[in-house]
Amino acid sequence: MTRYLRIDQLDFAGKRVLVRADLNVPMELGRVSDDFRIRKALPAIELLSAGGAESVLVCSHLGRPKDREPELGLAPVSVRMAELLAGEVVQLPGVVGDEVEAAARDLAPGAIALLENTRFESGETKNDPLLADALARLADVFVEDAFGSVHRAHASTVGVAERLRSAAGPLLISEIEGLGRFLGDPDRPYVVVLGGAKVSDKLGVIKHLLPKVDSMLIGGAMCFTLLAAAGAEVGDSRLEPEMIDEVGKLLTGPDGDKLVLPSDIVAASAFEESAEAVVTAANSIPRGRIGLDIGPGTSARFAGVIKDAASLFWNGPMGVFEWERFRHGTEAVAEAVAGCAGWTAVGGGDSVAALRILGLEDSVSHLSTGGGAGLELLEGRDLPGVAVLERWVDGP
């Protein structure tokens, strides 16, 4: 595993510190509608501020802007952050440039400031060296604390860390250590629960983890490609036809019996929140019906496997979680995970949201802020934003 400096090993007193946080939060009508990621970012900021940093500059992306889209600006985030910190957060006028550099230099001692959306700069996602240079000019040292973004080699995750002495923040450390418990030889039974829309998005983690787990429970729309590969009739449910042969090899392979597919499905007459729905066998969904949730029998069976797990990881909803009528499978899994006595970690926005809606977020061992990053970590892949930190362990 990558070695890195921890934030408490970084000499930041009296220095300007740039923090890469994950403030990619949902917005409604110009306000933050879910501040989970902002709250998770605060410990690093508070630690630096209390530890004597001259100033703390925070940067993050928000959404996927194609240009400088005002509705994806970070001003509402700075407002909410200031409310949570009970103090001022200065909103800087951009990401880089002369005006931003001047504003950063003129900050009052101990000030906390937020840069604008890093993806407003076209060089961010390309790890443009000029943008990385400009970001590095804003500070003396760098803290990487955006676990949800470290699987991307961007200017604000990798480029700046190549230029400034860098350390991992408390959230990043917590994520690596929490999810790291599934690497090597986790306690058994080891159970993974996967859902979501596309099996292609999770094929890598399925292939990597299937030989290591005791059971892998599959729900969400991704289950229909696996069911089709097993010869089931899936009606009009969402399919990835190009993946059927590939996942069929997993089902017939040496670990295929570890894949646990739904036995019943809640199938609707249309992809609509108010559509008429029935419970049907998962292997014979009628034409004209679309599977939108796992059925009650599957929910109970999944819950039984989850209850006995010693190590459990869950990523992805079991159905169209956004619609209450098709949320029951996800809620059943959430309640089972919360009741599991083993080490439990949950990642992915909808999975975390389910726990929070049910008031169960404090009932799991580790609640992850990163969906894609968590999957890549468990897949055994290097995370560029973490790997780059190793250069400073024995360096200047």
Side-chain angles (χ1 to χ4, degrees), residues 23-25 60-66 72 74 117 119 125:
L23 306 176
N24 186 27
V25 295
S60 175
H61 77 281
L62 176 62
R64 297 180 178 179
K66 296 179 180 177
L72 290 177
L74 287 179
N117 189 339
R119 290 192 184 174
T125 58

Side-chain angles (χ1 to χ4, degrees), residues 277-300:
V278 297
V279 176
T280 183
N283 62 0
S284 57
I285 302 172
R287 289 187 179 180
R289 292 275 176 183
I290 304 170
L292 297 184
D293 195 8
I294 59 173
T298 301
S299 296

Side-chain angles (χ1 to χ4, degrees), residues 37-228:
R37 284 178 170 168
I38 299 176
R39 290 177 181 273
K40 288 290 189 177
L42 295 185
I45 297 167
E46 292 172 325
L47 190 155
L48 292 164
S49 182
E54 178 185 330
S55 58
V56 180
L57 307 175
V58 184
C59 66
S60 175
H61 77 281
L62 176 62
R64 297 180 178 179
K66 296 179 180 177
D67 202 348
R68 295 173 184 262
E69 302 174 24
E71 63 272 20
L72 290 177
L74 287 179
V77 175
S78 66
V79 170
R80 184 59 184 144
M81 187 182 292
E83 292 171 349
L84 292 170
L85 289 169
E88 183 183 11
V89 174
V90 179
Q91 177 66 57
L92 295 179
V95 181
V96 293
D98 293 343
E99 187 179 4
V100 175
E101 288 187 34
R105 284 195 304 269
D106 293 340
L107 289 171
I112 298 168
L114 181 62
L115 303 181
E116 191 45 282
N117 189 339
T118 57
R119 290 192 184 174
F120 281 2
E121 298 291 331
S122 60
E124 161 70 334
T125 58
K126 302 171 187 174
N127 193 13
D128 177 43
L130 294 179
L131 177 57
D133 286 343
L135 283 167
R137 285 197 296 272
L138 297 174
D140 304 306
V141 292
F142 177 65
V143 171
E144 176 57 82
D145 206 36
F147 179 69
S149 297
V150 291
H151 60 310
R152 301 185 179 104
H154 290 178
S156 68
T157 58
V158 171
V160 69
E162 293 173 331
R163 290 158 171 79
L164 292 179
R165 185 168 178 80
S166 303
L171 175 60
L172 181 60
I173 294 168
S174 171
E175 295 275 19
I176 292 172
E177 292 180 350
L179 295 176
R181 291 185 59 146
F182 298 109
L183 305 176
D185 187 21
D187 293 339
R188 296 187 178 277
Y190 176 20
V191 177
V192 169
V193 185
L194 295 177
K198 298 169 66 176
V199 71
S200 56
D201 288 343
K202 292 171 181 172
L203 185 61
V205 76
I206 292 173
K207 286 182 174 180
H208 185 77
L209 291 183
L210 194 56
K212 305 175 186 295
V213 304
D214 295 291
S215 298
M216 184 175 289
L217 316 182
I218 306 291
M222 62 184 284
C223 78
F224 298 114
T225 300
L226 286 136
L227 285 166

Side-chain angles (χ1 to χ4, degrees), residues 217-254:
L217 316 182
I218 306 291
M222 62 184 284
C223 78
F224 298 114
T225 300
L226 286 136
L227 285 166
E233 296 292 336
V234 298
D236 294 345
S237 303
R238 181 169 183 168
L239 274 181
E240 292 180 271
E242 71 281 6
M243 300 299 301
I244 288 177
D245 288 345
E246 188 74 19
V247 299
K249 295 174 185 175
L250 294 174
L251 290 167
T252 58

Side-chain angles (χ1 to χ4, degrees), residues 172-390:
L172 181 60
I173 294 168
S174 171
E175 295 275 19
I176 292 172
E177 292 180 350
L179 295 176
R181 291 185 59 146
F182 298 109
L183 305 176
D185 187 21
D187 293 339
R188 296 187 178 277
Y190 176 20
V191 177
V192 169
V193 185
L194 295 177
K198 298 169 66 176
V199 71
S200 56
D201 288 343
K202 292 171 181 172
L203 185 61
V205 76
I206 292 173
K207 286 182 174 180
H208 185 77
L209 291 183
L210 194 56
K212 305 175 186 295
V213 304
D214 295 291
S215 298
M216 184 175 289
L217 316 182
I218 306 291
M222 62 184 284
C223 78
F224 298 114
T225 300
L226 286 136
L227 285 166
E233 296 292 336
V234 298
D236 294 345
S237 303
R238 181 169 183 168
L239 274 181
E240 292 180 271
E242 71 281 6
M243 300 299 301
I244 288 177
D245 288 345
E246 188 74 19
V247 299
K249 295 174 185 175
L250 294 174
L251 290 167
T252 58
D255 298 300
D257 59 339
K258 298 178 182 178
L259 285 162
V260 183
L261 302 180
S263 55
D264 60 344
I265 291 290
V266 179
S269 56
F271 190 78
E272 296 174 359
E273 186 172 3
S274 59
E276 180 263 340
V278 297
V279 176
T280 183
N283 62 0
S284 57
I285 302 172
R287 289 187 179 180
R289 292 275 176 183
I290 304 170
L292 297 184
D293 195 8
I294 59 173
T298 301
S299 296
R301 188 157 55 103
F302 281 14
V305 176
I306 290 167
K307 176 178 65 71
D308 294 331
S311 303
L312 183 135
F313 174 73
W314 174 31
N315 177 285
M318 298 292 100
V320 185
F321 174 75
E322 297 83 356
W323 296 340
E324 187 174 354
R325 294 182 64 221
F326 304 105
R327 188 181 295 172
H328 300 299
T330 302
E331 289 182 338
V333 166
E335 290 170 351
V337 170
C340 176
W343 176 265
T344 54
V346 179
D350 286 335
S351 309
V352 172
L355 287 165
R356 299 186 69 211
I357 286 172
L358 294 169
L360 299 173
E361 65 264 38
D362 294 331
S363 299
V364 298
S365 308
H366 181 74
L367 205 59
S368 178
T369 58
L375 290 175
E376 291 197 18
L377 178 65
L378 294 185
E379 195 178 328
R381 295 169 62 178
D382 285 336
L383 304 178
V386 177
V388 69
L389 301 178
E390 188 161 7

